[in-house]
Amino acid sequence: MAQYATTKLLQSASRRERPAKAALSREAIIAAALQIMRDEGLARISMRRVASALDTGAASLYVYVRDTEDLHAQLLDALLAYVAAPRDGDWRHRLKGLLRCYVNVLFAYPEMARMAISTPANGPNYLRLVDGLRGLLREGGLADAVAAWAVDVLLLHATAHAAEHASWKETPRADQTMAALFASLKAADPQALPNIARVGDELLAGGAGNRLDWALDLIIAGALVVPPPR
Amino acid sequence: MAQYATTKLLQSASRRERPAKAALSREAIIAAALQIMRDEGLARISMRRVASALDTGAASLYVYVRDTEDLHAQLLDALLAYVAAPRDGDWRHRLKGLLRCYVNVLFAYPEMARMAISTPANGPNYLRLVDGLRGLLREGGLADAVAAWAVDVLLLHATAHAAEHASWKETPRADQTMAALFASLKAADPQALPNIARVGDELLAGGAGNRLDWALDLIIAGALVVPPPR
DNA sequence: ACCTGAACACCGTTCAAGT
DNA sequence: ACCTGAACACCGTTCAAGT
C-alpha cells in the first residue's frame, strides 16, 4: 500500500512537466492558461488552446469557465496575488510602491493590462488591493468616500499606463509605429498645430517610470485638494 | 457641444448608402467599417466582414490597410474628426469641454475606447486634439513641457474612463457582473478587508459624469502644483 | 454532474494567378 | 498596380450523446 503510494508519488513527480491526464478543475485550467501566457502570450490563450494543453476539447472547459472573458478575469486575479506594498516608509511611499508593484505585475504579462480596463475585476486579490489602497489614503488623511473615488482614479491610471506601455513594448511593429509618431510630431505644421510644432518631441522625453511617478503624484496631490462633487 | 458632436456623427451615419460596387479605396474601406461598427459593433469589424460589405474578398483590403490593428487605428482617427472644444469660457472650461467631447465620441462607439489605449494614434485628427489640449493648458499658465506631459495623463484617463464605462454599458452580462461586484463589496469581511467593509458600496456612488469631472479636476489641479521630475 | 466529438459560424493572413 | 479565390491555420460556443 505504502509502496504503491510512493511509486505513485514518484511517478507524478517525474511526470511533473505535463501530467498525462490530470483531473479537470478551475485551478488546473488557470495553471495551464498561465503557462501558455508565459510561453506564447495572452493572444494565444483561447478556449481551444487551453483545452488542448489539458488534453481535452474546448467544450469541457465550460463547466468551470463561463466564457473567454471570464477565463481572462480569473487569470488576472491569479496574477494579482503577487502584488504587495512595501512595509516601511510613510503612507505616500507605500501607496506609490503598491501601485508600482501592480503596474510591474501587469508589465510582466503585458497584454493582460488592456483587458483589465474593460473587465471589471472582483476577485479576492483585486479586493485586497483596493482595500490596501483605500487604507493608505485614509492614513494620508482622506475621508473614506474621497479615498474610494481616488483609488478608482489611481488604479485606472496605473492600469491604463501599463496597457499603453506594455503594448508599445510587445507589438512586433512597435518600433515602426513609434517612429511614425515621432515623425508626425517633428513634421507638424506650425500653422495648423502650433503647440505641437513649438514643443516638438518633448512629448516623448522622460522614462516611463518617471512619468508614472509624476502622474501618481498629480492624482494624489489633487485628491488632497479638490473637493468631491456634491 | 459634446451632445452636438455625437448627434452629428450618428446623423451622417444613417445617411450613408451602400453603392452597388464602388471603387476600392482607403476611404471606402473606412466608410464601410464605420457602417458595420454602427450596425453590429466593433467586434464585428473584421477584414472579412468589411470586405464582404464591399463585395470583395478580405485579401483585397491589404492594398490599403496593413493589418487589422491598422484598420482600427484609422477608424479611430476618422471618429476624432468630430471632437471639438467649446468656443466660450475660460481655458479650464474649454479644456474640460474638449475632453468630455472626446469621451462622448468614444462612448458612441464603446468598443473603440479599449483599443485606443493600446494603439498609439497618430492620425491628423488625433494630432489636432493633442495640439488643442496643449494650447489650452498653456493658456492656463503651464510650461510647454509640463503641458505635454499633462495632456498625456488627461488623454489617458479620458480614454480609460471611456473604455471602462463603455464596456459596462455594452456587454450583455454587464448587469450580472456589476451585481457580483456589488455583492462582493457588501459581503467584504471586516477582518480581512476593513477599508472596503467600512465604506461598503460608496465606491459605486455618484454618476460616471461627475466622477470624470472630478478626476479631470484632480489632474489639472495636480499639474498646476506638482513640479515635473528632473 | 461531468465530459466529449462534432458541428456551426466565424477569424487573419499569405500567395499564386489573373487583370 | 490592383484584385481575386483558395488555402492554411486558427477562433468561441452549442449541443446531443455518452459516462
Side-chain angles (χ1 to χ4, degrees), chain A residues 180-189 192-197 200 203, chain B residues 77 80-81 98 102 120-135 151 155:
Chain A
L181 177 56
F182 207 78
S184 298
L185 293 176
K186 272 203 139 162
D189 172 15
L193 304 170
N195 301 295
I196 286 178
L203 175 74
Chain B
D77 202 75
L80 295 184
L98 182 53
Y102 169 73
N122 76 330
N125 291 315
Y126 178 76
L127 291 179
R128 210 172 38 79
L129 174 61
V130 169
D131 192 80
L133 290 169
R134 288 198 192 176
V151 164
L155 271 179

PDB file of all heavy atoms in Angstrom, chain A residues 180-189 192-197 200 203, chain B residues 77 80-81 98 102 120-135 151 155:
ATOM      1  N   ALA A 180       6.904  56.429 -36.541  1.00  0.00           N
ATOM      2  CA  ALA A 180       5.909  57.175 -37.315  1.00  0.00           C
ATOM      3  C   ALA A 180       5.341  58.325 -36.479  1.00  0.00           C
ATOM      4  O   ALA A 180       5.186  59.457 -36.962  1.00  0.00           O
ATOM      5  CB  ALA A 180       4.784  56.246 -37.759  1.00  0.00           C
ATOM      6  N   LEU A 181       5.050  58.033 -35.203  1.00  0.00           N
ATOM      7  CA  LEU A 181       4.533  59.069 -34.321  1.00  0.00           C
ATOM      8  C   LEU A 181       5.560  60.183 -34.153  1.00  0.00           C
ATOM      9  O   LEU A 181       5.254  61.372 -34.226  1.00  0.00           O
ATOM     10  CB  LEU A 181       4.195  58.449 -32.956  1.00  0.00           C
ATOM     11  CG  LEU A 181       3.702  59.393 -31.860  1.00  0.00           C
ATOM     12  CD1 LEU A 181       2.484  60.171 -32.313  1.00  0.00           C
ATOM     13  CD2 LEU A 181       3.381  58.624 -30.586  1.00  0.00           C
ATOM     14  N   PHE A 182       6.791  59.760 -33.931  1.00  0.00           N
ATOM     15  CA  PHE A 182       7.898  60.686 -33.796  1.00  0.00           C
ATOM     16  C   PHE A 182       7.990  61.607 -35.009  1.00  0.00           C
ATOM     17  O   PHE A 182       8.090  62.838 -34.880  1.00  0.00           O
ATOM     18  CB  PHE A 182       9.196  59.869 -33.688  1.00  0.00           C
ATOM     19  CG  PHE A 182      10.291  60.542 -32.931  1.00  0.00           C
ATOM     20  CD1 PHE A 182      10.269  60.580 -31.548  1.00  0.00           C
ATOM     21  CD2 PHE A 182      11.345  61.130 -33.598  1.00  0.00           C
ATOM     22  CE1 PHE A 182      11.284  61.209 -30.849  1.00  0.00           C
ATOM     23  CE2 PHE A 182      12.363  61.759 -32.906  1.00  0.00           C
ATOM     24  CZ  PHE A 182      12.335  61.796 -31.526  1.00  0.00           C
ATOM     25  N   ALA A 183       7.915  61.002 -36.173  1.00  0.00           N
ATOM     26  CA  ALA A 183       7.999  61.769 -37.418  1.00  0.00           C
ATOM     27  C   ALA A 183       6.826  62.743 -37.532  1.00  0.00           C
ATOM     28  O   ALA A 183       7.007  63.912 -37.904  1.00  0.00           O
ATOM     29  CB  ALA A 183       8.029  60.819 -38.615  1.00  0.00           C
ATOM     30  N   SER A 184       5.640  62.273 -37.189  1.00  0.00           N
ATOM     31  CA  SER A 184       4.448  63.132 -37.259  1.00  0.00           C
ATOM     32  C   SER A 184       4.630  64.363 -36.393  1.00  0.00           C
ATOM     33  O   SER A 184       4.273  65.475 -36.771  1.00  0.00           O
ATOM     34  CB  SER A 184       3.211  62.367 -36.779  1.00  0.00           C
ATOM     35  OG  SER A 184       2.967  61.266 -37.600  1.00  0.00           O
ATOM     36  N   LEU A 185       5.175  64.164 -35.207  1.00  0.00           N
ATOM     37  CA  LEU A 185       5.344  65.278 -34.286  1.00  0.00           C
ATOM     38  C   LEU A 185       6.380  66.266 -34.815  1.00  0.00           C
ATOM     39  O   LEU A 185       6.196  67.480 -34.731  1.00  0.00           O
ATOM     40  CB  LEU A 185       5.763  64.758 -32.910  1.00  0.00           C
ATOM     41  CG  LEU A 185       4.700  63.951 -32.176  1.00  0.00           C
ATOM     42  CD1 LEU A 185       5.247  63.405 -30.868  1.00  0.00           C
ATOM     43  CD2 LEU A 185       3.458  64.779 -31.924  1.00  0.00           C
ATOM     44  N   LYS A 186       7.454  65.738 -35.357  1.00  0.00           N
ATOM     45  CA  LYS A 186       8.515  66.594 -35.873  1.00  0.00           C
ATOM     46  C   LYS A 186       8.057  67.379 -37.089  1.00  0.00           C
ATOM     47  O   LYS A 186       8.462  68.523 -37.311  1.00  0.00           O
ATOM     48  CB  LYS A 186       9.735  65.734 -36.239  1.00  0.00           C
ATOM     49  CG  LYS A 186      10.685  65.517 -35.081  1.00  0.00           C
ATOM     50  CD  LYS A 186      12.083  65.183 -35.579  1.00  0.00           C
ATOM     51  CE  LYS A 186      13.140  65.897 -34.766  1.00  0.00           C
ATOM     52  NZ  LYS A 186      14.478  65.317 -34.920  1.00  0.00           N
ATOM     53  N   ALA A 187       7.228  66.742 -37.896  1.00  0.00           N
ATOM     54  CA  ALA A 187       6.810  67.344 -39.160  1.00  0.00           C
ATOM     55  C   ALA A 187       5.586  68.234 -38.992  1.00  0.00           C
ATOM     56  O   ALA A 187       5.031  68.721 -39.968  1.00  0.00           O
ATOM     57  CB  ALA A 187       6.513  66.246 -40.180  1.00  0.00           C
ATOM     58  N   ALA A 188       5.158  68.446 -37.735  1.00  0.00           N
ATOM     59  CA  ALA A 188       3.924  69.193 -37.502  1.00  0.00           C
ATOM     60  C   ALA A 188       3.988  70.584 -38.129  1.00  0.00           C
ATOM     61  O   ALA A 188       4.969  71.320 -37.955  1.00  0.00           O
ATOM     62  CB  ALA A 188       3.664  69.300 -36.009  1.00  0.00           C
ATOM     63  N   ASP A 189       2.945  70.925 -38.851  1.00  0.00           N
ATOM     64  CA  ASP A 189       2.820  72.236 -39.472  1.00  0.00           C
ATOM     65  C   ASP A 189       2.593  73.302 -38.392  1.00  0.00           C
ATOM     66  O   ASP A 189       1.593  73.246 -37.678  1.00  0.00           O
ATOM     67  CB  ASP A 189       1.633  72.204 -40.444  1.00  0.00           C
ATOM     68  CG  ASP A 189       1.312  73.584 -40.994  1.00  0.00           C
ATOM     69  OD1 ASP A 189       2.153  74.486 -40.855  1.00  0.00           O
ATOM     70  OD2 ASP A 189       0.210  73.730 -41.562  1.00  0.00           O
ATOM     71  N   ALA A 192      -0.975  74.901 -38.453  1.00  0.00           N
ATOM     72  CA  ALA A 192      -2.128  74.097 -38.042  1.00  0.00           C
ATOM     73  C   ALA A 192      -1.980  73.559 -36.622  1.00  0.00           C
ATOM     74  O   ALA A 192      -2.953  73.470 -35.873  1.00  0.00           O
ATOM     75  CB  ALA A 192      -2.330  72.944 -39.024  1.00  0.00           C
ATOM     76  N   LEU A 193      -0.768  73.219 -36.247  1.00  0.00           N
ATOM     77  CA  LEU A 193      -0.535  72.584 -34.951  1.00  0.00           C
ATOM     78  C   LEU A 193       0.559  73.326 -34.192  1.00  0.00           C
ATOM     79  O   LEU A 193       1.621  72.764 -33.905  1.00  0.00           O
ATOM     80  CB  LEU A 193      -0.123  71.123 -35.158  1.00  0.00           C
ATOM     81  CG  LEU A 193      -1.087  70.240 -35.969  1.00  0.00           C
ATOM     82  CD1 LEU A 193      -0.453  68.899 -36.297  1.00  0.00           C
ATOM     83  CD2 LEU A 193      -2.406  70.037 -35.231  1.00  0.00           C
ATOM     84  N   PRO A 194       0.300  74.584 -33.833  1.00  0.00           N
ATOM     85  CA  PRO A 194       1.356  75.409 -33.240  1.00  0.00           C
ATOM     86  C   PRO A 194       1.929  74.822 -31.957  1.00  0.00           C
ATOM     87  O   PRO A 194       3.142  74.886 -31.730  1.00  0.00           O
ATOM     88  CB  PRO A 194       0.646  76.738 -32.962  1.00  0.00           C
ATOM     89  CG  PRO A 194      -0.809  76.417 -32.939  1.00  0.00           C
ATOM     90  CD  PRO A 194      -0.991  75.275 -33.895  1.00  0.00           C
ATOM     91  N   ASN A 195       1.073  74.236 -31.140  1.00  0.00           N
ATOM     92  CA  ASN A 195       1.538  73.785 -29.830  1.00  0.00           C
ATOM     93  C   ASN A 195       2.334  72.502 -29.901  1.00  0.00           C
ATOM     94  O   ASN A 195       3.109  72.190 -29.003  1.00  0.00           O
ATOM     95  CB  ASN A 195       0.341  73.614 -28.896  1.00  0.00           C
ATOM     96  CG  ASN A 195      -0.424  74.909 -28.737  1.00  0.00           C
ATOM     97  OD1 ASN A 195       0.085  75.884 -28.206  1.00  0.00           O
ATOM     98  ND2 ASN A 195      -1.646  74.934 -29.267  1.00  0.00           N
ATOM     99  N   ILE A 196       2.132  71.757 -30.969  1.00  0.00           N
ATOM    100  CA  ILE A 196       2.963  70.565 -31.165  1.00  0.00           C
ATOM    101  C   ILE A 196       4.275  70.966 -31.822  1.00  0.00           C
ATOM    102  O   ILE A 196       5.350  70.530 -31.405  1.00  0.00           O
ATOM    103  CB  ILE A 196       2.226  69.515 -32.023  1.00  0.00           C
ATOM    104  CG1 ILE A 196       1.126  68.854 -31.198  1.00  0.00           C
ATOM    105  CG2 ILE A 196       3.200  68.467 -32.552  1.00  0.00           C
ATOM    106  CD1 ILE A 196       0.305  67.838 -31.947  1.00  0.00           C
ATOM    107  N   ALA A 197       4.193  71.840 -32.818  1.00  0.00           N
ATOM    108  CA  ALA A 197       5.384  72.262 -33.543  1.00  0.00           C
ATOM    109  C   ALA A 197       6.377  72.954 -32.602  1.00  0.00           C
ATOM    110  O   ALA A 197       7.581  72.740 -32.677  1.00  0.00           O
ATOM    111  CB  ALA A 197       5.003  73.201 -34.684  1.00  0.00           C
ATOM    112  N   GLY A 200       7.708  70.120 -30.184  1.00  0.00           N
ATOM    113  CA  GLY A 200       8.405  69.044 -30.879  1.00  0.00           C
ATOM    114  C   GLY A 200       8.265  67.724 -30.169  1.00  0.00           C
ATOM    115  O   GLY A 200       7.160  67.326 -29.816  1.00  0.00           O
ATOM    116  N   LEU A 203       7.187  65.516 -25.960  1.00  0.00           N
ATOM    117  CA  LEU A 203       6.173  64.544 -25.557  1.00  0.00           C
ATOM    118  C   LEU A 203       6.799  63.219 -25.162  1.00  0.00           C
ATOM    119  O   LEU A 203       6.342  62.536 -24.261  1.00  0.00           O
ATOM    120  CB  LEU A 203       5.198  64.307 -26.722  1.00  0.00           C
ATOM    121  CG  LEU A 203       4.126  63.234 -26.538  1.00  0.00           C
ATOM    122  CD1 LEU A 203       3.037  63.724 -25.602  1.00  0.00           C
ATOM    123  CD2 LEU A 203       3.527  62.815 -27.858  1.00  0.00           C
TER     124      LEU A 203
ATOM    125  N   ASP B  77      -9.218  57.516 -35.829  1.00  0.00           N
ATOM    126  CA  ASP B  77      -8.934  58.878 -36.252  1.00  0.00           C
ATOM    127  C   ASP B  77     -10.121  59.476 -37.000  1.00  0.00           C
ATOM    128  O   ASP B  77     -10.434  60.654 -36.843  1.00  0.00           O
ATOM    129  CB  ASP B  77      -7.673  58.942 -37.109  1.00  0.00           C
ATOM    130  CG  ASP B  77      -7.079  60.337 -37.111  1.00  0.00           C
ATOM    131  OD1 ASP B  77      -6.479  60.699 -36.074  1.00  0.00           O
ATOM    132  OD2 ASP B  77      -7.255  61.073 -38.100  1.00  0.00           O
ATOM    133  N   LEU B  80     -12.440  60.841 -34.536  1.00  0.00           N
ATOM    134  CA  LEU B  80     -11.961  62.025 -33.824  1.00  0.00           C
ATOM    135  C   LEU B  80     -12.192  63.316 -34.607  1.00  0.00           C
ATOM    136  O   LEU B  80     -12.009  64.408 -34.068  1.00  0.00           O
ATOM    137  CB  LEU B  80     -10.473  61.875 -33.489  1.00  0.00           C
ATOM    138  CG  LEU B  80     -10.129  60.753 -32.505  1.00  0.00           C
ATOM    139  CD1 LEU B  80      -8.645  60.775 -32.183  1.00  0.00           C
ATOM    140  CD2 LEU B  80     -10.942  60.884 -31.230  1.00  0.00           C
ATOM    141  N   ALA B  81     -12.594  63.197 -35.857  1.00  0.00           N
ATOM    142  CA  ALA B  81     -12.896  64.404 -36.638  1.00  0.00           C
ATOM    143  C   ALA B  81     -14.010  65.212 -35.975  1.00  0.00           C
ATOM    144  O   ALA B  81     -14.115  66.419 -36.171  1.00  0.00           O
ATOM    145  CB  ALA B  81     -13.292  64.019 -38.057  1.00  0.00           C
ATOM    146  N   LEU B  98     -13.548  69.978 -24.103  1.00  0.00           N
ATOM    147  CA  LEU B  98     -12.900  69.236 -25.187  1.00  0.00           C
ATOM    148  C   LEU B  98     -12.719  67.774 -24.803  1.00  0.00           C
ATOM    149  O   LEU B  98     -13.002  66.856 -25.588  1.00  0.00           O
ATOM    150  CB  LEU B  98     -11.546  69.887 -25.497  1.00  0.00           C
ATOM    151  CG  LEU B  98     -10.712  69.306 -26.639  1.00  0.00           C
ATOM    152  CD1 LEU B  98     -11.513  69.212 -27.920  1.00  0.00           C
ATOM    153  CD2 LEU B  98      -9.461  70.164 -26.880  1.00  0.00           C
ATOM    154  N   TYR B 102     -14.461  64.385 -26.346  1.00  0.00           N
ATOM    155  CA  TYR B 102     -13.667  63.213 -26.740  1.00  0.00           C
ATOM    156  C   TYR B 102     -14.239  61.940 -26.115  1.00  0.00           C
ATOM    157  O   TYR B 102     -14.452  60.932 -26.800  1.00  0.00           O
ATOM    158  CB  TYR B 102     -12.214  63.432 -26.313  1.00  0.00           C
ATOM    159  CG  TYR B 102     -11.300  62.236 -26.402  1.00  0.00           C
ATOM    160  CD1 TYR B 102     -10.864  61.760 -27.620  1.00  0.00           C
ATOM    161  CD2 TYR B 102     -10.859  61.596 -25.247  1.00  0.00           C
ATOM    162  CE1 TYR B 102     -10.010  60.671 -27.705  1.00  0.00           C
ATOM    163  CE2 TYR B 102     -10.006  60.512 -25.316  1.00  0.00           C
ATOM    164  CZ  TYR B 102      -9.590  60.054 -26.544  1.00  0.00           C
ATOM    165  OH  TYR B 102      -8.746  58.980 -26.612  1.00  0.00           O
ATOM    166  N   PRO B 120      -1.261  53.365 -30.127  1.00  0.00           N
ATOM    167  CA  PRO B 120      -0.924  54.786 -30.099  1.00  0.00           C
ATOM    168  C   PRO B 120      -1.339  55.435 -31.411  1.00  0.00           C
ATOM    169  O   PRO B 120      -0.848  55.076 -32.463  1.00  0.00           O
ATOM    170  CB  PRO B 120       0.591  54.793 -29.933  1.00  0.00           C
ATOM    171  CG  PRO B 120       1.039  53.441 -30.342  1.00  0.00           C
ATOM    172  CD  PRO B 120      -0.084  52.502 -30.118  1.00  0.00           C
ATOM    173  N   ALA B 121      -2.271  56.372 -31.319  1.00  0.00           N
ATOM    174  CA  ALA B 121      -2.790  57.031 -32.510  1.00  0.00           C
ATOM    175  C   ALA B 121      -1.822  58.113 -32.966  1.00  0.00           C
ATOM    176  O   ALA B 121      -1.112  58.708 -32.169  1.00  0.00           O
ATOM    177  CB  ALA B 121      -4.149  57.637 -32.201  1.00  0.00           C
ATOM    178  N   ASN B 122      -1.760  58.340 -34.255  1.00  0.00           N
ATOM    179  CA  ASN B 122      -1.005  59.488 -34.739  1.00  0.00           C
ATOM    180  C   ASN B 122      -1.622  60.045 -36.020  1.00  0.00           C
ATOM    181  O   ASN B 122      -0.946  60.632 -36.835  1.00  0.00           O
ATOM    182  CB  ASN B 122       0.472  59.125 -34.960  1.00  0.00           C
ATOM    183  CG  ASN B 122       0.653  58.314 -36.224  1.00  0.00           C
ATOM    184  OD1 ASN B 122      -0.239  57.572 -36.616  1.00  0.00           O
ATOM    185  ND2 ASN B 122       1.786  58.474 -36.843  1.00  0.00           N
ATOM    186  N   GLY B 123      -2.913  59.832 -36.165  1.00  0.00           N
ATOM    187  CA  GLY B 123      -3.634  60.388 -37.305  1.00  0.00           C
ATOM    188  C   GLY B 123      -3.783  61.895 -37.168  1.00  0.00           C
ATOM    189  O   GLY B 123      -3.526  62.458 -36.103  1.00  0.00           O
ATOM    190  N   PRO B 124      -4.186  62.571 -38.227  1.00  0.00           N
ATOM    191  CA  PRO B 124      -4.298  64.028 -38.222  1.00  0.00           C
ATOM    192  C   PRO B 124      -5.273  64.545 -37.171  1.00  0.00           C
ATOM    193  O   PRO B 124      -4.992  65.559 -36.518  1.00  0.00           O
ATOM    194  CB  PRO B 124      -4.810  64.346 -39.633  1.00  0.00           C
ATOM    195  CG  PRO B 124      -5.293  63.059 -40.208  1.00  0.00           C
ATOM    196  CD  PRO B 124      -4.513  61.988 -39.545  1.00  0.00           C
ATOM    197  N   ASN B 125      -6.374  63.871 -36.981  1.00  0.00           N
ATOM    198  CA  ASN B 125      -7.345  64.359 -36.009  1.00  0.00           C
ATOM    199  C   ASN B 125      -6.870  64.182 -34.584  1.00  0.00           C
ATOM    200  O   ASN B 125      -7.175  64.996 -33.709  1.00  0.00           O
ATOM    201  CB  ASN B 125      -8.691  63.659 -36.226  1.00  0.00           C
ATOM    202  CG  ASN B 125      -9.351  64.093 -37.509  1.00  0.00           C
ATOM    203  OD1 ASN B 125      -9.395  65.279 -37.823  1.00  0.00           O
ATOM    204  ND2 ASN B 125      -9.847  63.132 -38.268  1.00  0.00           N
ATOM    205  N   TYR B 126      -6.116  63.130 -34.353  1.00  0.00           N
ATOM    206  CA  TYR B 126      -5.547  62.932 -33.026  1.00  0.00           C
ATOM    207  C   TYR B 126      -4.539  64.030 -32.715  1.00  0.00           C
ATOM    208  O   TYR B 126      -4.536  64.607 -31.625  1.00  0.00           O
ATOM    209  CB  TYR B 126      -4.890  61.557 -32.942  1.00  0.00           C
ATOM    210  CG  TYR B 126      -4.223  61.283 -31.630  1.00  0.00           C
ATOM    211  CD1 TYR B 126      -4.972  60.970 -30.509  1.00  0.00           C
ATOM    212  CD2 TYR B 126      -2.837  61.355 -31.496  1.00  0.00           C
ATOM    213  CE1 TYR B 126      -4.369  60.733 -29.297  1.00  0.00           C
ATOM    214  CE2 TYR B 126      -2.221  61.116 -30.287  1.00  0.00           C
ATOM    215  CZ  TYR B 126      -2.989  60.804 -29.192  1.00  0.00           C
ATOM    216  OH  TYR B 126      -2.386  60.571 -27.982  1.00  0.00           O
ATOM    217  N   LEU B 127      -3.717  64.352 -33.709  1.00  0.00           N
ATOM    218  CA  LEU B 127      -2.727  65.409 -33.505  1.00  0.00           C
ATOM    219  C   LEU B 127      -3.411  66.747 -33.235  1.00  0.00           C
ATOM    220  O   LEU B 127      -2.974  67.520 -32.386  1.00  0.00           O
ATOM    221  CB  LEU B 127      -1.822  65.516 -34.736  1.00  0.00           C
ATOM    222  CG  LEU B 127      -0.877  64.328 -34.950  1.00  0.00           C
ATOM    223  CD1 LEU B 127      -0.050  64.517 -36.213  1.00  0.00           C
ATOM    224  CD2 LEU B 127       0.035  64.132 -33.743  1.00  0.00           C
ATOM    225  N   ARG B 128      -4.515  67.000 -33.928  1.00  0.00           N
ATOM    226  CA  ARG B 128      -5.272  68.228 -33.721  1.00  0.00           C
ATOM    227  C   ARG B 128      -5.775  68.299 -32.276  1.00  0.00           C
ATOM    228  O   ARG B 128      -5.718  69.334 -31.616  1.00  0.00           O
ATOM    229  CB  ARG B 128      -6.460  68.254 -34.693  1.00  0.00           C
ATOM    230  CG  ARG B 128      -6.928  69.614 -35.134  1.00  0.00           C
ATOM    231  CD  ARG B 128      -7.974  69.506 -36.243  1.00  0.00           C
ATOM    232  NE  ARG B 128      -8.898  68.394 -36.070  1.00  0.00           N
ATOM    233  CZ  ARG B 128      -9.932  68.393 -35.243  1.00  0.00           C
ATOM    234  NH1 ARG B 128     -10.189  69.443 -34.505  1.00  0.00           N
ATOM    235  NH2 ARG B 128     -10.713  67.332 -35.146  1.00  0.00           N
ATOM    236  N   LEU B 129      -6.262  67.157 -31.800  1.00  0.00           N
ATOM    237  CA  LEU B 129      -6.757  67.094 -30.425  1.00  0.00           C
ATOM    238  C   LEU B 129      -5.637  67.384 -29.429  1.00  0.00           C
ATOM    239  O   LEU B 129      -5.793  68.194 -28.508  1.00  0.00           O
ATOM    240  CB  LEU B 129      -7.366  65.713 -30.169  1.00  0.00           C
ATOM    241  CG  LEU B 129      -7.805  65.393 -28.748  1.00  0.00           C
ATOM    242  CD1 LEU B 129      -8.879  66.361 -28.276  1.00  0.00           C
ATOM    243  CD2 LEU B 129      -8.309  63.948 -28.649  1.00  0.00           C
ATOM    244  N   VAL B 130      -4.511  66.733 -29.632  1.00  0.00           N
ATOM    245  CA  VAL B 130      -3.373  66.943 -28.735  1.00  0.00           C
ATOM    246  C   VAL B 130      -2.932  68.408 -28.765  1.00  0.00           C
ATOM    247  O   VAL B 130      -2.687  69.017 -27.711  1.00  0.00           O
ATOM    248  CB  VAL B 130      -2.191  66.025 -29.121  1.00  0.00           C
ATOM    249  CG1 VAL B 130      -0.932  66.421 -28.380  1.00  0.00           C
ATOM    250  CG2 VAL B 130      -2.540  64.564 -28.853  1.00  0.00           C
ATOM    251  N   ASP B 131      -2.876  68.961 -29.950  1.00  0.00           N
ATOM    252  CA  ASP B 131      -2.466  70.360 -30.072  1.00  0.00           C
ATOM    253  C   ASP B 131      -3.421  71.281 -29.330  1.00  0.00           C
ATOM    254  O   ASP B 131      -3.000  72.188 -28.601  1.00  0.00           O
ATOM    255  CB  ASP B 131      -2.393  70.751 -31.551  1.00  0.00           C
ATOM    256  CG  ASP B 131      -1.707  72.091 -31.751  1.00  0.00           C
ATOM    257  OD1 ASP B 131      -0.447  72.103 -31.729  1.00  0.00           O
ATOM    258  OD2 ASP B 131      -2.404  73.116 -31.892  1.00  0.00           O
ATOM    259  N   GLY B 132      -4.701  71.022 -29.493  1.00  0.00           N
ATOM    260  CA  GLY B 132      -5.704  71.842 -28.813  1.00  0.00           C
ATOM    261  C   GLY B 132      -5.565  71.778 -27.301  1.00  0.00           C
ATOM    262  O   GLY B 132      -5.585  72.810 -26.608  1.00  0.00           O
ATOM    263  N   LEU B 133      -5.373  70.582 -26.789  1.00  0.00           N
ATOM    264  CA  LEU B 133      -5.252  70.406 -25.346  1.00  0.00           C
ATOM    265  C   LEU B 133      -4.005  71.110 -24.818  1.00  0.00           C
ATOM    266  O   LEU B 133      -4.050  71.793 -23.788  1.00  0.00           O
ATOM    267  CB  LEU B 133      -5.197  68.910 -25.010  1.00  0.00           C
ATOM    268  CG  LEU B 133      -6.500  68.125 -25.226  1.00  0.00           C
ATOM    269  CD1 LEU B 133      -6.254  66.617 -25.125  1.00  0.00           C
ATOM    270  CD2 LEU B 133      -7.556  68.557 -24.213  1.00  0.00           C
ATOM    271  N   ARG B 134      -2.899  70.958 -25.537  1.00  0.00           N
ATOM    272  CA  ARG B 134      -1.663  71.620 -25.103  1.00  0.00           C
ATOM    273  C   ARG B 134      -1.826  73.124 -25.096  1.00  0.00           C
ATOM    274  O   ARG B 134      -1.360  73.811 -24.173  1.00  0.00           O
ATOM    275  CB  ARG B 134      -0.520  71.247 -26.046  1.00  0.00           C
ATOM    276  CG  ARG B 134      -0.048  69.824 -25.881  1.00  0.00           C
ATOM    277  CD  ARG B 134       1.321  69.687 -26.498  1.00  0.00           C
ATOM    278  NE  ARG B 134       1.724  68.288 -26.627  1.00  0.00           N
ATOM    279  CZ  ARG B 134       2.852  67.905 -27.203  1.00  0.00           C
ATOM    280  NH1 ARG B 134       3.665  68.814 -27.721  1.00  0.00           N
ATOM    281  NH2 ARG B 134       3.169  66.642 -27.280  1.00  0.00           N
ATOM    282  N   GLY B 135      -2.495  73.637 -26.102  1.00  0.00           N
ATOM    283  CA  GLY B 135      -2.723  75.074 -26.183  1.00  0.00           C
ATOM    284  C   GLY B 135      -3.517  75.591 -24.992  1.00  0.00           C
ATOM    285  O   GLY B 135      -3.202  76.638 -24.415  1.00  0.00           O
ATOM    286  N   VAL B 151      -1.072  66.577 -20.780  1.00  0.00           N
ATOM    287  CA  VAL B 151      -2.014  66.173 -21.825  1.00  0.00           C
ATOM    288  C   VAL B 151      -2.036  64.655 -21.947  1.00  0.00           C
ATOM    289  O   VAL B 151      -3.102  64.044 -22.093  1.00  0.00           O
ATOM    290  CB  VAL B 151      -1.646  66.822 -23.182  1.00  0.00           C
ATOM    291  CG1 VAL B 151      -2.359  66.119 -24.325  1.00  0.00           C
ATOM    292  CG2 VAL B 151      -1.999  68.294 -23.165  1.00  0.00           C
ATOM    293  N   LEU B 155      -5.461  62.633 -21.447  1.00  0.00           N
ATOM    294  CA  LEU B 155      -5.996  61.799 -22.528  1.00  0.00           C
ATOM    295  C   LEU B 155      -6.061  60.336 -22.110  1.00  0.00           C
ATOM    296  O   LEU B 155      -7.024  59.632 -22.416  1.00  0.00           O
ATOM    297  CB  LEU B 155      -5.132  61.934 -23.790  1.00  0.00           C
ATOM    298  CG  LEU B 155      -5.512  63.055 -24.740  1.00  0.00           C
ATOM    299  CD1 LEU B 155      -4.570  63.090 -25.934  1.00  0.00           C
ATOM    300  CD2 LEU B 155      -6.952  62.891 -25.214  1.00  0.00           C
TER     301      LEU B 155
END
